[in-house]
Amino acid sequence: MNIELLNSPQTAIAKVILEANEELVAQNGSLIAMSPDMTVQSSVRRSGDGGGKQSSRGAQAKTIFLNNYRAGENGGAIYLAPALVGKLGHYQLEGRKLIVRQSSYLASASQVDIFMGYKSTVKKEPYSWLSLVGTGDILISAFGAMYTLEVDGKQIVNSDHVVAFDNSLKVKQYEELRPWPRRLVPIQEILYEFSGTGAIICQSHGPQGLAQEVGRQLKPENFKLR
């Protein structure tokens, strides 16, 4: 498998060259184009499947739909893109366990096991998470720029900016920033406190902030004829 990141970092897409009969697993809806002899088989992961002992809390979706792309006898190419514009990260899992935000997962080698859910101690978990285990290539996406924080001790991070983190890190809710009543500020910031040794992959922009701004702009009064 050979992976090339195109148009990075602003609107990155991934070009994946597969060898004969090689497989790639990808988030449903991420396909741009593929070779004509590629075969596709769909699958689903739900909370509690396999090693996913406990789903993340909250009312977020706890199901992810995946597509398994298998190259023909002559190999093939596939192009993928995430839902939000930004940078893509290409990593080698190498046996460690990585916790990835569901919406940030793009694709992985077929040797990587994907479990829905993560045993979180955060009281108000706003996101669903995937546990990736095994050895092989993985592709994750960020909204905007992507950067890594190396933790040796403690680190406080806004939950909306967390893309992925090593399972070696312990996570708990630091506090919820509520400077104003919820009726005035519907989206409140939740902070995670990470402790231990490991890496946190972050994104420069928060999807909740985008959703809040889009919702504000789509109010009927903004579309009145002048």
Side-chain angles (χ1 to χ4, degrees), residues 5 8-9 12-14 80-82 86-90 106 139-142 146:
L5 302 183
S8 187
I13 63 175
L80 302 170
K87 189 175 182 180
L88 290 179
H90 175 204
L106 184 66
L139 285 167
I140 59 177
S141 65
M146 179 183 292

Side-chain angles (χ1 to χ4, degrees), residues 1-208:
M1 180 181 302
N2 181 272
I3 298 177
E4 182 179 0
L5 302 183
L6 309 176
N7 298 332
S8 187
Q10 291 85 2
T11 54
I13 63 175
K15 177 183 179 182
V16 183
I17 305 296
L18 298 175
E19 297 180 356
N21 301 315
E22 195 173 23
E23 287 190 358
L24 178 76
V25 182
Q27 175 100 259
N28 179 57
S30 62
L31 176 67
I32 298 176
M34 65 180 185
S35 300
D37 59 345
M38 196 87 69
T39 58
V40 185
Q41 185 174 7
S42 298
S43 61
V44 64
R45 301 288 190 280
R46 293 188 176 89
S47 302
D49 286 350
K53 295 180 179 179
Q54 176 64 48
S55 66
S56 57
R57 301 174 185 176
Q60 302 296 318
K62 295 179 176 59
T63 300
I64 183 172
F65 295 92
L66 304 171
N67 289 328
N68 295 53
Y69 299 93
R70 184 181 181 88
E73 295 296 331
N74 297 318
I78 182 170
Y79 294 78
L80 302 170
L84 295 175
V85 297
K87 189 175 182 180
L88 290 179
H90 175 204
Y91 300 92
Q92 292 289 332
L93 204 53
E94 297 178 341
R96 63 174 177 165
K97 185 175 182 180
L98 192 68
I99 311 301
V100 179
R101 185 202 295 248
Q102 179 179 337
S103 59
S104 296
Y105 169 80
L106 184 66
S108 56
S110 59
Q111 297 86 355
V112 174
D113 292 325
I114 305 169
F115 301 111
M116 184 74 213
Y118 163 65
K119 191 175 183 180
S120 173
T121 61
V122 178
K123 295 180 180 178
K124 295 183 179 180
E125 180 60 82
Y127 302 107
S128 294
W129 299 93
L130 301 176
S131 299
L132 304 185
V133 187
T135 301
D137 299 86
I138 64 170
L139 285 167
I140 59 177
S141 65
F143 181 26
M146 179 183 292
Y147 53 96
T148 301
L149 298 176
E150 297 292 343
V151 180
D152 186 8
K154 291 186 178 180
Q155 180 72 56
I156 310 300
V157 184
N158 187 328
S159 63
D160 209 26
H161 292 258
V162 177
V163 171
F165 55 92
D166 282 322
N167 188 57
S168 58
L169 292 170
K170 295 183 179 179
V171 189
K172 67 178 184 179
Q173 185 172 329
Y174 182 68
E175 66 178 279
E176 185 178 11
L177 296 183
R178 299 185 63 179
W180 300 96
R182 187 174 294 277
R183 61 186 174 83
L184 298 177
V185 186
I187 296 179
Q188 305 290 342
E189 293 177 314
I190 296 177
L191 304 183
Y192 291 163
E193 179 185 297
F194 292 90
S195 59
T197 302
I200 308 170
I201 301 172
C202 298
Q203 56 191 0
S204 61
H205 294 69
Q208 284 198 91

Side-chain angles (χ1 to χ4, degrees), residues 219-226:
K219 290 182 178 179
E221 56 265 29
N222 292 334
F223 294 90
K224 290 181 179 179
L225 295 176
R226 303 181 185 278

